[in-house]
Amino acid sequence: MADLEPDGITAQTTDEGLVSATRHGARDLTQGPITRTLIAFMLPALGSSVLQALNGSINTIWIGRLLGEDALAATSNATTVMFLMLSFVFGFGMASTILIGQAFGRRDIDGARRTIGTAFAAFGVVAIILSAIGWLFAPQILHALATPASIVPLALAYLRVIFIGLPAALMLTMLMMALRGSGDSLTPLYFMALSVVLDSGLNPFLINGIGPFPRMGIAGSATATMIANYAALAALIATVYLRDLPLRLRRGELAYLRPSPAILRTIVGKGLPMGLQMIAVSASAMTMFSLVNRQGVATTAAFGVALQLWTYVQMPAMAVGAAVSTMVAQNIGANQWDRVGRVTRSGVLITLSITGVMVVLLALADQAVLALFLGSDSPAMPIARHIQLLGTWGYLLFGVTMVLFGTMRANGAVVVPLLILAFGLLPVRLGFASIMQHYIGADALWLSLPVASLSNLALATIYYLRGTWKRQSMIAS
């Protein structure tokens, strides 16, 4: 192939990077048994998601036990802000992952390096700007969130430290996703584990001022998160170079840190709709909470616990969807379209199997699991059992939809999946919950998720089977 022009995406084929990738844990996802390869690639990504969720749960326990309910409420407001930030990075990171995956599929290591150079430099600058703006306008952000006045000082102290650590959090997420695009899902798992150990381990020391550490209260929890993210990011970058992983930039390749307009247009143009999918999920969840809150404190508590459990139930579907997207991207890059449909079918079967087992186990052991969050005599216990019984099975449908979306976005089809998801989660889900409450009461709230999932799956299946998504392209014109 011809050498890459400054703003192009095709590049000279190199085998050195592929050998390095295989030697250091990356996988060639265009070869070998599809199901076995997909499972082996997906499991570390699932492990990273579980560790991230556990980290949040552990930190919540530390804050709740050491600082009380006001501090918990304060961190919830900051978490909402961080979710919005990470939603956009998810979209841009996913677009970068797909570009890198396609480059690896066509044996174009130089093209992959150009993509990571553009993504890391451009969004590093954006992250720093967002960090500065967030720190300056944190009071206004909290006011916009209608944060209760009694917890504003706590929320402000926490949020400002979180914004200082924002660049590390965003760039760590993007670099981990880029490595997965190269077929390496193990290295991100190791450094997610490092971040979790540091974060959850430092929390009590910095909150209470144990040993040589200063007593920082709620800001100590945010500081632990900041330290963990910066340390993990620095260690991951060092590892990329020490192990000579294929995405490292050396000598003349450092010029790739000057963003390529063509690659940047692709990342922004394709990444923005993917980020907006996460915003749609967030908007739907926040609106549902406003409906649930009208049912009373016990119902709100029960719904909150159900959401905690659903976080874990949906993880396999998210992990399989992301793994399918990367694997399909590599096969599209290698022009092996015969494997694309087989990867999708394997992803659907894996998702149904794992999620199905989790749904059944939760149904059989719901009382024991819910008792971890609620006392066995809590008035919220029977409500929580009823909620999860009606709503949890919807994640089977959700999982299949995520696999179909993962396949389609690997070829650049991102707008229609966004419209499908937004339609299902907003007018369908919220409309069903609002209207059907008059006929079946609060059960309409819990059934709204399966109804929305069924709508999303039906529309996603129609779009997938029509095949028009195959005429899309990740590369910007």
Side-chain angles (χ1 to χ4, degrees):
M1 299 176 72
D3 288 343
L4 181 64
E5 294 299 323
D7 292 336
I9 293 182
T10 56
Q12 185 176 10
T13 299
T14 62
D15 292 326
E16 174 191 354
L18 290 172
V19 172
S20 174
T22 304
R23 187 172 64 244
H24 293 299
R27 292 179 176 273
D28 180 357
L29 303 178
T30 66
Q31 306 293 329
I34 287 176
T35 300
R36 188 188 310 166
T37 302
L38 183 58
I39 291 175
F41 179 71
M42 176 273 296
L43 286 177
L46 177 59
S48 295
S49 298
V50 171
L51 284 175
Q52 194 169 28
L54 287 175
N55 184 49
S57 299
I58 293 170
N59 288 351
T60 298
I61 292 171
W62 282 127
I63 292 172
R65 288 181 177 269
L66 298 177
L67 297 174
E69 294 179 0
D70 284 353
L72 276 178
T75 58
S76 296
N77 282 267
T79 301
T80 301
V81 176
M82 283 299 296
F83 180 83
L84 293 175
M85 298 291 183
L86 290 172
S87 295
F88 283 107
V89 169
F90 168 81
F92 300 136
M94 197 69 237
S96 303
T97 298
I98 292 169
L99 282 176
I100 291 170
Q102 289 191 2
F104 268 78
R106 63 178 180 266
R107 305 300 193 265
D108 179 10
I109 303 304
D110 193 64
R113 289 171 181 165
R114 288 178 182 268
T115 299
I116 189 62
T118 292
F120 204 78
F123 294 104
V125 173
V126 171
I128 292 172
I129 293 173
L130 287 176
S131 174
I133 293 174
W135 193 93
L136 288 172
F137 293 99
Q140 289 79 4
I141 293 172
L142 293 174
H143 177 74
L145 290 173
T147 306
S150 60
I151 64 170
V152 164
L154 290 172
L156 182 60
Y158 185 87
L159 187 57
R160 276 190 158 154
V161 177
I162 287 294
F163 270 118
I164 295 173
L166 182 66
L170 298 186
M171 301 317 297
L172 179 64
T173 300
M174 179 165 284
L175 184 53
M176 286 180 173
M177 295 179 75
L179 286 170
R180 293 189 187 107
S182 72
D184 182 0
S185 58
L186 276 174
T187 300
L189 174 63
Y190 299 147
F191 288 91
M192 176 58 71
L194 172 63
S195 177
V196 168
V197 169
L198 288 174
D199 191 357
S200 58
L202 286 173
N203 252 267
F205 289 91
L206 291 171
I207 290 174
N208 271 356
I210 300 173
F213 297 95
R215 183 182 181 88
M216 301 177 67
I218 193 171
S221 179
T223 302
T225 301
M226 178 185 68
I227 292 172
N229 285 330
Y230 275 108
L233 177 61
L236 180 54
I237 292 174
T239 299
V240 167
Y241 281 89
L242 290 173
R243 294 175 60 193
D244 195 32
L245 298 186
L247 291 181
R248 90 291 181 274
L249 304 178
R250 295 188 186 277
R251 295 182 291 276
E253 295 168 342
L254 293 174
Y256 297 165
L257 291 171
R258 183 180 63 199
S260 159
I263 297 175
L264 189 58
R265 278 198 305 271
T266 300
I267 293 174
V268 173
K270 301 297 186 179
L272 187 59
M274 287 188 267
L276 289 175
Q277 289 183 29
M278 303 295 288
I279 301 299
V281 172
S282 178
S284 173
M286 288 189 291
T287 307
M288 280 300 299
F289 255 113
S290 69
L291 297 176
V292 173
N293 286 338
R294 301 171 188 173
Q295 304 296 320
V297 175
T299 302
T300 300
F303 185 63
V305 171
L307 286 178
Q308 286 279 343
L309 297 179
W310 289 345
T311 298
Y312 292 94
V313 172
Q314 69 180 328
M315 279 182 187
M318 299 296 289
V320 174
V324 164
S325 193
T326 301
M327 192 167 180
V328 168
Q330 287 201 11
N331 281 279
I332 289 175
N335 200 29
Q336 296 186 165
W337 281 93
D338 60 308
R339 285 173 60 92
V340 169
R342 292 157 58 198
V343 171
T344 305
R345 287 192 294 273
S346 291
V348 168
L349 292 175
I350 293 169
T351 298
L352 288 175
S353 299
I354 299 178
T355 307
V357 169
M358 295 186 70
V359 169
V360 171
L361 290 177
L362 183 57
L364 294 175
D366 59 345
Q367 188 162 359
V369 174
L370 292 168
L372 296 173
F373 300 90
L374 301 166
S376 57
D377 297 329
S378 169
M381 175 65 81
I383 302 173
R385 295 184 69 186
H386 185 67
I387 290 173
Q388 70 86 20
L389 183 63
L390 290 182
T392 305
W393 65 271
Y395 283 100
L396 287 166
L397 308 177
F398 169 83
V400 177
T401 303
M402 289 301 100
V403 171
L404 297 180
F405 282 174
T407 296
M408 293 184 287
R409 74 186 177 207
N411 197 46
V414 293
V415 174
V416 173
L418 167 63
L419 296 176
I420 290 173
L421 188 68
F423 176 73
L425 289 178
L426 297 173
V428 172
R429 184 182 185 185
L430 300 180
F432 180 89
S434 300
I435 295 171
M436 293 305 294
Q437 274 191 87
H438 299 293
Y439 302 98
I440 60 176
D443 282 355
L445 302 177
W446 327 135
L447 289 171
S448 66
L449 177 62
V451 168
S453 298
L454 181 60
S455 168
N456 287 336
L457 177 57
L459 293 174
T461 301
I462 292 171
Y463 184 55
Y464 176 80
L465 293 178
R466 286 186 63 189
T468 53
W469 59 274
K470 295 180 181 180
R471 296 196 291 269
Q472 299 287 321
S473 173
M474 275 299 295
I475 300 176
S477 60

